[in-house]
Amino acid sequence: MYGPPMEEQHRGPAAPYALEVTGKDIAQLEASQADIPAGTPVNIAFLGNETHAQRITAARVIRACGFEPVPIISSRRLLSQQDLDTLVSELIIEVRPKRFLLVGGDPASPAGPYPDSLELLRSGVIERHGIRHVGIVAYPEGHPRIADAALWEALKWKLSFLADAGCSVEITTQFGFDADTVLRWIEQLRHEGFDTPVRIGVPGPTDVGKLLRFARQFGVAASAGIARRYGFSLAQLVHRVGPERFFERLLHGMEKRDVGAILYHLYPFGGIADGVRWMNRHAVSVTA
């Protein structure tokens, strides 16, 4: 079944994809408002050069546009428990998010008491704020600083912890290039007994050079072999490329597997307008 998460089924049809923005992208989001399906989840990135006030403003604009704000809470960027509780409380007061996405974050050293999202969960933030729907992230193509076995153990711990806490969970994957690896990862997740809905990360159309810069930033491996499979040349960094080959191979592979509930998450590296137009042409027919 390529359907929506159970909790979203009870609220009506799920949007076919989610997307991600920063506080600086809000004007782009407003400009593309007419092209984005109503109710689309919009993840709000937790950047080091933006303030909580910017994040809350972004959430307000997303809600006003008719979309669902999904605040990302970066464990390693939080200064203290008070910093965490102030941000979460204000977001709940201002926009009442249906879901928070809890991540570790990029900094090499934590700014406060939370070195990763496991410690954030252990902090009691779920209970203190009555959070019932949680998003977590996964890395089907691996992480440059974390062993695969450790990634799996952390993922299974979080899924079990959140189930015990009575929370619904949705997994968003990092974007990647190798659809076969993503499919094998989903198969392993299902084999482990987890039917958690998965949003597969899809990079929007962008220049090859920018795509590779984001790949390095987010720890996605980008070998020459994977680049050829994805459909671009490492010698043409200014060439604009979309995820057509990745997406086609992904859909073909899902036809042959029992992958469970699958949705999509757009990383609009080449701009929200181009990314949304691409997803509108490709994702709607898959999840309808």
Side-chain angles (χ1 to χ4, degrees):
M1 178 184 71
Y2 306 154
M6 288 303 296
E7 74 271 16
E8 294 208 35
Q9 289 177 0
H10 294 309
R11 291 198 296 263
Y17 59 89
L19 61 91
E20 192 156 317
V21 301
T22 71
K24 300 178 181 65
D25 294 329
I26 289 301
Q28 286 190 54
L29 184 78
E30 290 179 294
S32 298
Q33 181 177 353
D35 294 323
I36 302 172
T40 292
V42 180
N43 294 6
I44 305 162
F46 198 120
L47 301 183
N49 59 358
E50 293 183 349
T51 66
H52 289 344
Q54 287 174 292
R55 298 175 188 115
I56 293 166
T57 296
R60 286 197 206 102
V61 173
I62 291 166
R63 176 68 78 204
C65 287
F67 311 130
E68 177 58 37
V70 182
I72 297 175
I73 306 297
S74 175
S75 309
R76 297 169 73 82
R77 294 193 188 280
L78 294 165
L79 303 177
S80 63
Q81 180 177 316
Q82 181 178 357
D83 187 34
L84 165 64
D85 286 340
T86 297
L87 173 60
V88 173
S89 295
E90 290 184 6
L91 284 164
I92 290 173
I93 290 169
E94 292 289 340
V95 297
R96 299 189 65 80
K98 293 177 181 175
R99 179 179 288 110
F100 284 86
L101 184 62
L102 307 182
V103 305
D106 298 330
S109 300
Y114 310 116
D116 52 40
S117 56
L118 281 72
E119 288 304 313
L120 185 59
L121 287 167
R122 291 188 182 107
S123 75
V125 63
I126 301 296
E127 297 83 358
R128 286 196 305 275
H129 297 281
I131 296 172
R132 309 311 304 156
H133 307 293
V134 176
I136 57 177
V137 297
Y139 302 86
E141 295 188 38
H143 190 288
R145 297 187 297 276
I146 306 174
D148 287 349
L151 286 173
W152 274 110
E153 287 305 309
L155 180 64
K156 289 189 287 186
W157 184 91
K158 285 184 276 191
L159 290 172
S160 297
F161 178 92
L162 289 164
D164 290 344
C167 292
S168 72
V169 188
E170 186 175 274
I171 299 171
T172 296
T173 75
Q174 185 56 273
F175 83 94
F177 299 108
D178 191 340
D180 294 335
T181 297
V182 173
L183 290 165
R184 286 193 296 270
W185 180 89
I186 294 171
E187 281 188 308
Q188 183 173 348
L189 181 72
R190 302 311 184 209
H191 180 73
E192 295 278 357
F194 296 105
D195 61 358
T196 313
V198 174
R199 285 193 181 273
I200 298 175
V202 179
T206 190
D207 296 343
V208 169
K210 182 180 288 188
L211 185 65
L212 294 178
R213 287 196 298 274
F214 278 112
R216 287 191 293 270
Q217 178 182 339
F218 294 129
V220 179
S223 70
I226 291 176
R228 285 194 298 272
R229 182 179 300 176
Y230 192 78
F232 62 79
S233 168
L234 296 176
Q236 296 180 312
L237 297 183
V238 297
H239 178 66
R240 197 164 179 83
V241 62
E244 287 83 4
R245 291 192 185 185
F246 171 82
F247 209 70
E248 288 171 7
R249 193 168 185 87
L250 190 68
L251 299 186
H252 180 70
M254 285 195 294
E255 291 175 355
K256 302 178 180 180
R257 295 170 169 88
D258 182 12
V259 294
I262 299 296
L263 293 167
Y264 302 96
H265 180 76
L266 169 67
Y267 293 92
F269 298 137
I272 290 174
D274 281 355
V276 162
R277 283 194 290 265
W278 193 96
M279 291 300 287
N280 286 347
R281 289 196 302 272
H282 292 81
V284 175
S285 61
V286 176
T287 58

